[in-house]
Amino acid sequence: MDAVADISRSDWPVDLERARLWYEPHLERIHEDADTRRADLIQLEQIASGYPSRERFLTELTSILPTPPAIRPGCVAR
């Protein structure tokens, strides 16, 4: 499991690049729009490089994502 090394000794944001490189061979097989998804992953890497740590990046990323209606207070899933 070299691709999933000890996270405490990781190198941010290089780890995100490693994950993308590992995943790239699977894109063509799994997704019809592999080129678009690859470009999205590269853009995500570029955005991540502006954050000092994985924790900070994920905190910011999850704070801007919309909350699905099913888990918003007072909403009933249909």
Side-chain angles (χ1 to χ4, degrees):
M1 259 185 130
D2 294 333
V4 185
D6 182 3
I7 201 164
S8 66
R9 291 178 280 162
S10 68
D11 188 14
W12 179 257
V14 175
D15 292 337
L16 197 52
E17 177 187 19
R18 287 184 190 128
R20 177 186 53 83
L21 292 172
W22 175 87
Y23 187 61
E24 275 190 354
H26 305 286
L27 285 171
E28 297 292 332
R29 180 176 51 81
I30 297 171
H31 303 287
E32 291 180 13
D33 58 346
D35 290 334
T36 301
R37 293 194 179 241
R38 183 177 295 107
D40 290 343
L41 293 172
I42 290 170
Q43 184 178 23
L44 189 64
E45 270 180 65
Q46 292 168 345
I47 294 167
S49 70
Y51 290 87
S53 68
R54 174 185 296 104
E55 179 182 20
R56 182 72 179 267
F57 171 67
L58 293 174
T59 299
E60 293 291 325
L61 181 66
T62 56
S63 71
I64 62 171
L65 295 175
T67 304
I71 60 173
R72 287 187 193 144
C75 290
V76 178
R78 296 174 195 207

